Amino acid sequence: MGRHKVLNTPAIRRMPTYYHKLMLIQALGDEYVSTSKLAKYMSIDPIVVRKDFELTGATGDRGIGYRVDTLIEAIRNYLGWNKKLRACLVGAGSLGSALLGFEEFSEYGLNICEVYDISEKRIGTEIYGRMVKDVRNVRVSVAESKVEMAIICVPAESAQEVADELVAGGVRLIWNFSNTCLQLPPDVVVQREVIAGGYALLSRKRKEHFS
Amino acid sequence: MGRHKVLNTPAIRRMPTYYHKLMLIQALGDEYVSTSKLAKYMSIDPIVVRKDFELTGATGDRGIGYRVDTLIEAIRNYLGWNKKLRACLVGAGSLGSALLGFEEFSEYGLNICEVYDISEKRIGTEIYGRMVKDVRNVRVSVAESKVEMAIICVPAESAQEVADELVAGGVRLIWNFSNTCLQLPPDVVVQREVIAGGYALLSRKRKEHFS
């Protein structure tokens, strides 16, 4: 952890929202966008929007706002989304399938090209155009197909074993949706997605507002 | 937004992870737990763990650590998870189905008792024991069944309309998984879940480490 820079986590988490909205604004033909418009859309302070954009190096013009195409490019570059990312997904249950169906991922440079599962029922079937492969061959398969990232959606009790195989196959980026913390070598970058994290925030807001 | 307190978002997001791990530790029969054990498990600094627990009001004993049952109770109380929450889910596609299947939600006091969808194919079927109802009656139905929270998993283009109906039916807490920001009255608490937010973090880490 020592060599990792401290990331501005909330700002980075907001980037896909800006990016997706900017793509919609661009599709409508608008050339400029104001921070106040984006702030209103996201129910946040315009100062927050401005600071977030500063991170990406984008600059706006007082009174006119930001050029939409420049902003999109700046965010894409800040997140490295201009460099396509080949990924695999392990565990094609309902959550895994939902992720395979997220069309906006392709906007973000994410190409989930390999899918693995343990169930005989799923192996050999297609989900959103991807053939499900046997997870028992995952180590060799990810090495051959040169995937850089793995999305783990298996039950918590299998997640560590799956992650170890993926890392042995050369994967260095892991997006973990399983309900457990993975213990992996320090050169592997892991992002854990705790869906219940948002529920905890909502729970705390409920407690503050309604009780 | 003015009346909302500023929440310690990253700390609150970590609470379900502590909570779930503490439940597992308790199931193994351990009475005490150290911050260093939890910190190691989550790959974070023990100081962060201690500060997070301070938020909940829990106190530990130097050298012994925290009582597991006291910590569980403190987190439960901090998040209001001791008061059961009745919720509905709208949009029973793959993401919605995945959420219905998350067993840990019941640990967190969340009871998703009503499910709505627009598809004739899904209405009348059962998903994890819940009968899917017609979303066209959602306003009356949520009012009758007195659900406090709604989980929205519909396509972005339908999300605002669904949210308006839910609010008209008395829902004041919304957990929004649709890829759009909802515009709702100020007395409605909305938590947006941007799954791509974690991917943005991973993307930025990839850029810093591997390029």
Side-chain angles (χ1 to χ4, degrees):
Chain A
M1 302 224 305
R3 69 196 179 86
H4 295 210
K5 263 204 281 184
V6 174
L7 295 177
N8 187 337
T9 303
I12 296 171
R13 279 193 176 273
R14 281 188 289 271
M15 293 295 171
T17 305
Y18 295 128
Y19 191 80
H20 185 71
K21 183 68 176 174
L22 289 167
M23 300 284 269
L24 294 176
I25 290 170
Q26 191 176 49
L28 291 174
D30 289 359
E31 260 189 86
Y32 287 87
V33 68
S34 65
T35 46
S36 59
K37 182 179 175 167
L38 290 166
K40 187 165 180 258
Y41 170 66
M42 290 168 67
S43 304
I44 57 177
D45 197 300
I47 296 169
V48 173
V49 178
R50 220 163 291 135
K51 284 197 175 165
D52 287 352
F53 290 167
E54 252 175 45
L55 275 181
T56 70
T59 50
D61 294 317
R62 189 172 288 273
I64 310 176
Y66 292 77
R67 277 193 66 96
V68 175
D69 55 2
T70 311
L71 259 186
I72 289 175
E73 196 49 39
I75 295 172
R76 191 183 283 148
N77 188 52
Y78 176 71
L79 297 174
W81 287 354
N82 41 2
K83 199 182 150 198
K84 285 245 179 291
L85 180 57
R86 286 171 59 80
C88 70
L89 183 141
V90 189
S94 39
L95 179 61
S97 299
L99 295 173
L100 291 171
F102 277 12
E103 289 171 11
E104 67 265 29
F105 281 165
S106 65
E107 283 177 13
Y108 309 153
L110 177 58
N111 175 18
I112 308 175
C113 48
E114 303 284 331
V115 179
Y116 304 97
D117 201 280
I118 196 151
S119 150
E120 293 298 337
K121 225 174 53 198
R122 291 194 192 119
I123 295 167
T125 65
E126 268 199 18
I127 303 180
Y128 293 102
R130 288 86 150 188
M131 177 75 78
V132 181
K133 298 182 177 174
D134 191 333
V135 74
R136 277 158 287 226
N137 309 322
V138 75
R139 183 201 297 217
V140 173
S141 180
V142 291
E144 280 174 0
S145 54
K146 299 195 192 319
V147 307
E148 198 182 337
M149 180 173 104
I151 306 173
I152 300 184
C153 301
V154 301
E157 54 277 17
S158 323
Q160 183 66 49
E161 191 189 342
V162 160
D164 290 339
E165 285 296 297
L166 288 162
V167 169
V171 169
R172 285 294 170 274
L173 285 164
I174 289 184
W175 196 9
N176 174 29
F177 284 83
S178 298
N179 193 18
T180 191
C181 294
L182 301 169
Q183 310 299 316
L184 294 169
D187 63 331
V188 179
V189 175
V190 184
Q191 175 66 37
R192 192 174 162 211
E193 207 60 42
V194 184
I195 303 233
Y199 174 66
L201 279 166
L202 202 56
S203 301
R204 182 64 195 168
K205 288 177 191 169
R206 170 196 185 214
K207 172 131 182 166
E208 288 190 355
H209 292 280
F210 302 129
S211 63
Chain B
M1 302 223 307
R3 69 194 178 86
H4 295 209
K5 263 203 279 184
V6 174
L7 295 177
N8 187 337
T9 302
I12 296 172
R13 279 194 177 274
R14 281 187 289 271
M15 293 295 170
T17 305
Y18 295 128
Y19 191 79
H20 185 71
K21 184 68 177 173
L22 289 167
M23 301 285 270
L24 295 176
I25 290 170
Q26 191 176 48
L28 291 175
D30 288 359
E31 259 189 88
Y32 286 87
V33 69
S34 65
T35 46
S36 59
K37 180 178 175 168
L38 290 165
K40 184 161 183 264
Y41 170 65
M42 291 167 67
S43 303
I44 57 178
D45 196 298
I47 296 168
V48 173
V49 178
R50 219 163 291 135
K51 283 196 175 165
D52 287 350
F53 289 167
E54 251 173 47
L55 274 182
T56 70
T59 50
D61 293 316
R62 188 172 290 274
I64 312 178
Y66 292 77
R67 277 193 66 96
V68 175
D69 55 1
T70 311
L71 258 186
I72 289 176
E73 196 50 38
I75 295 172
R76 190 184 282 149
N77 188 50
Y78 177 71
L79 297 174
W81 286 354
N82 40 2
K83 197 181 151 197
K84 284 245 177 293
L85 180 56
R86 284 171 60 80
C88 71
L89 183 141
V90 189
S94 38
L95 179 61
S97 299
L99 294 173
L100 291 171
F102 277 12
E103 289 171 11
E104 66 264 30
F105 280 166
S106 65
E107 282 177 14
Y108 309 154
L110 178 58
N111 174 19
I112 308 176
C113 46
E114 302 284 331
V115 179
Y116 304 97
D117 201 279
I118 197 151
S119 151
E120 293 299 335
K121 225 175 51 201
R122 291 192 193 122
I123 296 167
T125 65
E126 269 199 18
I127 303 178
Y128 293 102
R130 286 86 150 188
M131 176 74 78
V132 181
K133 297 183 179 175
D134 192 334
V135 74
R136 276 159 287 227
N137 309 324
V138 74
R139 182 202 296 218
V140 172
S141 179
V142 291
E144 281 174 0
S145 53
K146 298 195 193 320
V147 306
E148 198 183 336
M149 180 173 103
I151 306 172
I152 299 183
C153 300
V154 301
E157 54 277 17
S158 323
Q160 183 66 49
E161 192 189 342
V162 161
D164 290 340
E165 286 295 298
L166 288 162
V167 169
V171 169
R172 285 294 169 272
L173 285 164
I174 288 183
W175 196 10
N176 174 29
F177 284 82
S178 298
N179 193 18
T180 190
C181 295
L182 301 169
Q183 310 299 316
L184 293 169
D187 63 331
V188 178
V189 174
V190 183
Q191 175 66 37
R192 193 173 160 212
E193 208 60 40
V194 184
I195 303 236
Y199 174 65
L201 279 164
L202 201 56
S203 300
R204 182 63 196 169
K205 289 178 191 168
R206 170 197 186 214
K207 171 131 183 162
E208 290 190 354
H209 292 277
F210 302 128
S211 64

